mmCIF file of all heavy atoms in Angstrom:
data_model
loop_
_atom_site.group_PDB
_atom_site.id
_atom_site.type_symbol
_atom_site.label_atom_id
_atom_site.label_comp_id
_atom_site.label_asym_id
_atom_site.label_seq_id
_atom_site.Cartn_x
_atom_site.Cartn_y
_atom_site.Cartn_z
ATOM 1 N N ASP A 561 -5.669 -47.976 -97.029
ATOM 2 C CA ASP A 561 -6.882 -48.144 -96.284
ATOM 3 C C ASP A 561 -6.502 -48.636 -94.909
ATOM 4 O O ASP A 561 -6.586 -49.825 -94.542
ATOM 5 C CB ASP A 561 -7.784 -49.154 -97.017
ATOM 6 C CG ASP A 561 -9.192 -49.193 -96.391
ATOM 7 O OD1 ASP A 561 -9.416 -48.513 -95.388
ATOM 8 O OD2 ASP A 561 -9.993 -49.980 -96.899
ATOM 9 N N ALA A 562 -6.115 -47.689 -94.010
ATOM 10 C CA ALA A 562 -5.684 -48.061 -92.690
ATOM 11 C C ALA A 562 -6.877 -48.556 -91.851
ATOM 12 O O ALA A 562 -6.708 -49.337 -90.920
ATOM 13 C CB ALA A 562 -5.061 -46.879 -92.048
ATOM 14 N N GLU A 563 -8.101 -48.101 -92.156
ATOM 15 C CA GLU A 563 -9.237 -48.510 -91.429
ATOM 16 C C GLU A 563 -9.472 -50.001 -91.599
ATOM 17 O O GLU A 563 -9.925 -50.667 -90.655
ATOM 18 C CB GLU A 563 -10.496 -47.736 -91.888
ATOM 19 C CG GLU A 563 -10.495 -46.225 -91.558
ATOM 20 C CD GLU A 563 -10.751 -45.914 -90.126
ATOM 21 O OE1 GLU A 563 -11.361 -46.758 -89.452
ATOM 22 O OE2 GLU A 563 -10.270 -44.924 -89.685
ATOM 23 N N ARG A 564 -9.262 -50.496 -92.789
ATOM 24 C CA ARG A 564 -9.516 -51.906 -93.109
ATOM 25 C C ARG A 564 -8.370 -52.868 -92.663
ATOM 26 O O ARG A 564 -8.629 -53.921 -92.145
ATOM 27 C CB ARG A 564 -9.780 -52.062 -94.582
ATOM 28 C CG ARG A 564 -10.068 -53.477 -95.001
ATOM 29 C CD ARG A 564 -10.486 -53.483 -96.449
ATOM 30 N NE ARG A 564 -10.817 -54.912 -96.844
ATOM 31 C CZ ARG A 564 -11.049 -55.263 -98.054
ATOM 32 N NH1 ARG A 564 -11.014 -54.370 -98.992
ATOM 33 N NH2 ARG A 564 -11.257 -56.502 -98.336
ATOM 34 N N TYR A 565 -7.139 -52.399 -92.914
ATOM 35 C CA TYR A 565 -6.007 -53.279 -92.697
ATOM 36 C C TYR A 565 -5.191 -52.965 -91.397
ATOM 37 O O TYR A 565 -4.367 -53.742 -91.050
ATOM 38 C CB TYR A 565 -5.079 -53.273 -93.935
ATOM 39 C CG TYR A 565 -5.748 -53.839 -95.160
ATOM 40 C CD1 TYR A 565 -6.240 -53.059 -96.150
ATOM 41 C CD2 TYR A 565 -5.865 -55.205 -95.244
ATOM 42 C CE1 TYR A 565 -6.830 -53.592 -97.260
ATOM 43 C CE2 TYR A 565 -6.456 -55.754 -96.360
ATOM 44 C CZ TYR A 565 -6.957 -54.954 -97.398
ATOM 45 O OH TYR A 565 -7.546 -55.505 -98.472
ATOM 46 N N GLY A 566 -5.432 -51.818 -90.808
ATOM 47 C CA GLY A 566 -4.753 -51.460 -89.623
ATOM 48 C C GLY A 566 -5.502 -52.008 -88.376
ATOM 49 O O GLY A 566 -6.614 -52.495 -88.390
ATOM 50 N N THR A 567 -4.803 -51.920 -87.233
ATOM 51 C CA THR A 567 -5.427 -52.276 -85.964
ATOM 52 C C THR A 567 -6.300 -51.178 -85.460
ATOM 53 O O THR A 567 -5.866 -50.039 -85.393
ATOM 54 C CB THR A 567 -4.318 -52.531 -84.940
ATOM 55 O OG1 THR A 567 -3.393 -53.523 -85.420
ATOM 56 C CG2 THR A 567 -4.930 -53.031 -83.575
ATOM 57 N N PRO A 568 -7.535 -51.475 -85.143
ATOM 58 C CA PRO A 568 -8.456 -50.336 -84.709
ATOM 59 C C PRO A 568 -7.907 -49.648 -83.483
ATOM 60 O O PRO A 568 -7.384 -50.229 -82.555
ATOM 61 C CB PRO A 568 -9.768 -51.112 -84.416
ATOM 62 C CG PRO A 568 -9.644 -52.448 -84.976
ATOM 63 C CD PRO A 568 -8.198 -52.758 -85.127
ATOM 64 N N VAL A 569 -8.162 -48.304 -83.498
ATOM 65 C CA VAL A 569 -7.684 -47.440 -82.364
ATOM 66 C C VAL A 569 -8.970 -46.665 -81.947
ATOM 67 O O VAL A 569 -9.581 -45.972 -82.773
ATOM 68 C CB VAL A 569 -6.585 -46.499 -82.854
ATOM 69 C CG1 VAL A 569 -6.168 -45.624 -81.714
ATOM 70 C CG2 VAL A 569 -5.407 -47.271 -83.324
ATOM 71 N N THR A 570 -9.285 -46.717 -80.687
ATOM 72 C CA THR A 570 -10.436 -45.939 -80.259
ATOM 73 C C THR A 570 -10.116 -44.534 -79.982
ATOM 74 O O THR A 570 -8.972 -44.217 -79.523
ATOM 75 C CB THR A 570 -11.067 -46.593 -78.958
ATOM 76 O OG1 THR A 570 -10.102 -46.489 -77.917
ATOM 77 C CG2 THR A 570 -11.493 -48.000 -79.163
ATOM 78 N N TRP A 571 -11.031 -43.631 -80.277
ATOM 79 C CA TRP A 571 -10.803 -42.192 -80.097
ATOM 80 C C TRP A 571 -10.521 -41.869 -78.639
ATOM 81 O O TRP A 571 -9.640 -41.082 -78.292
ATOM 82 C CB TRP A 571 -11.998 -41.445 -80.602
ATOM 83 C CG TRP A 571 -11.892 -39.986 -80.330
ATOM 84 C CD1 TRP A 571 -11.274 -39.074 -81.080
ATOM 85 C CD2 TRP A 571 -12.477 -39.280 -79.202
ATOM 86 N NE1 TRP A 571 -11.427 -37.793 -80.452
ATOM 87 C CE2 TRP A 571 -12.115 -37.952 -79.319
ATOM 88 C CE3 TRP A 571 -13.195 -39.721 -78.096
ATOM 89 C CZ2 TRP A 571 -12.535 -37.040 -78.392
ATOM 90 C CZ3 TRP A 571 -13.579 -38.776 -77.169
ATOM 91 C CH2 TRP A 571 -13.248 -37.505 -77.284
ATOM 92 N N ARG A 572 -11.298 -42.472 -77.765
ATOM 93 C CA ARG A 572 -11.164 -42.217 -76.289
ATOM 94 C C ARG A 572 -9.777 -42.639 -75.788
ATOM 95 O O ARG A 572 -9.224 -41.899 -74.990
ATOM 96 C CB ARG A 572 -12.251 -42.926 -75.568
ATOM 97 C CG ARG A 572 -12.248 -42.639 -74.083
ATOM 98 C CD ARG A 572 -13.389 -43.294 -73.385
ATOM 99 N NE ARG A 572 -14.566 -42.802 -73.936
ATOM 100 C CZ ARG A 572 -15.768 -42.903 -73.359
ATOM 101 N NH1 ARG A 572 -15.907 -43.523 -72.273
ATOM 102 N NH2 ARG A 572 -16.808 -42.379 -73.985
ATOM 103 N N ALA A 573 -9.282 -43.778 -76.237
ATOM 104 C CA ALA A 573 -7.973 -44.211 -75.776
ATOM 105 C C ALA A 573 -6.880 -43.217 -76.220
ATOM 106 O O ALA A 573 -5.899 -43.012 -75.519
ATOM 107 C CB ALA A 573 -7.660 -45.593 -76.327
ATOM 108 N N VAL A 574 -7.027 -42.693 -77.404
ATOM 109 C CA VAL A 574 -6.045 -41.712 -77.910
ATOM 110 C C VAL A 574 -6.175 -40.466 -77.145
ATOM 111 O O VAL A 574 -5.192 -39.876 -76.703
ATOM 112 C CB VAL A 574 -6.223 -41.478 -79.413
ATOM 113 C CG1 VAL A 574 -5.308 -40.338 -79.903
ATOM 114 C CG2 VAL A 574 -5.922 -42.752 -80.210
ATOM 115 N N ALA A 575 -7.392 -39.923 -77.000
ATOM 116 C CA ALA A 575 -7.625 -38.580 -76.402
ATOM 117 C C ALA A 575 -7.152 -38.615 -74.866
ATOM 118 O O ALA A 575 -6.728 -37.608 -74.358
ATOM 119 C CB ALA A 575 -9.021 -38.169 -76.465
ATOM 120 N N LEU A 576 -7.280 -39.768 -74.261
ATOM 121 C CA LEU A 576 -6.951 -39.892 -72.831
ATOM 122 C C LEU A 576 -5.635 -40.575 -72.587
ATOM 123 O O LEU A 576 -5.340 -41.051 -71.478
ATOM 124 C CB LEU A 576 -8.067 -40.623 -72.096
ATOM 125 C CG LEU A 576 -9.443 -39.956 -72.162
ATOM 126 C CD1 LEU A 576 -10.498 -40.773 -71.428
ATOM 127 C CD2 LEU A 576 -9.376 -38.553 -71.558
ATOM 128 N N SER A 577 -4.795 -40.669 -73.639
ATOM 129 C CA SER A 577 -3.506 -41.269 -73.484
ATOM 130 C C SER A 577 -2.618 -40.370 -72.610
ATOM 131 O O SER A 577 -2.882 -39.165 -72.444
ATOM 132 C CB SER A 577 -2.806 -41.471 -74.836
ATOM 133 O OG SER A 577 -2.574 -40.239 -75.447
#
Side-chain angles (χ1 to χ4, degrees):
D561 190 0
E563 295 285 333
R564 181 174 179 187
Y565 294 102
T567 304
V569 178
T570 63
W571 172 86
R572 183 176 300 197
V574 174
L576 299 177
S577 66

